[in-house]
Amino acid sequence: MSIDYLKQKRILLVDDEQELLEMVVSILNQDGFLNIRTAKTVKEAVMISETFCPECAILDVMLPDGNGFELMERLKSLSDYPILFLTARGEDEDKFRGFGLGADDYMVKPFLPKELLFRVNAILRRSYKD
């Protein structure tokens, strides 16, 4: 499997902070990921996922109309794909909840851009083997 194949995966990015959305999209774009959609709410994320059919999602926990844990469960009910939490919620209980619900990874803000790329690439390699 080539890395180029992984770079074509559709990624859904959900966070209510516009600056963070723009920064993460830029980080991913610079690494070759170009098929990215963003959402700021649970409702918007569900609507986008129904037509965009993401193959990976990066979710915040705290959203204006719900939380990332509930969103993950809704997204997983539509299709089972890898999910990484990228959130300011770094308490152990939040991490345990995320992993307990089936998250593939959990990162706490602030984060290193290079680490985000390593984790996204690792999740995609594990999830989309030949």
Side-chain angles (χ1 to χ4, degrees), residues 19-34:
E19 286 180 22
L20 185 106
L21 288 174
E22 291 171 5
M23 180 179 69
V24 173
V25 167
S26 176
I27 291 166
L28 292 169
N29 284 168
Q30 289 174 17
D31 197 52
F33 292 99
L34 302 176

Side-chain angles (χ1 to χ4, degrees), residues 71-85:
L71 174 58
M72 183 180 84
E73 290 178 313
R74 290 186 65 187
L75 295 176
K76 290 265 190 187
S77 73
L78 298 171
S79 181
D80 190 23
Y81 50 84
I83 293 183
L84 178 149
F85 280 105

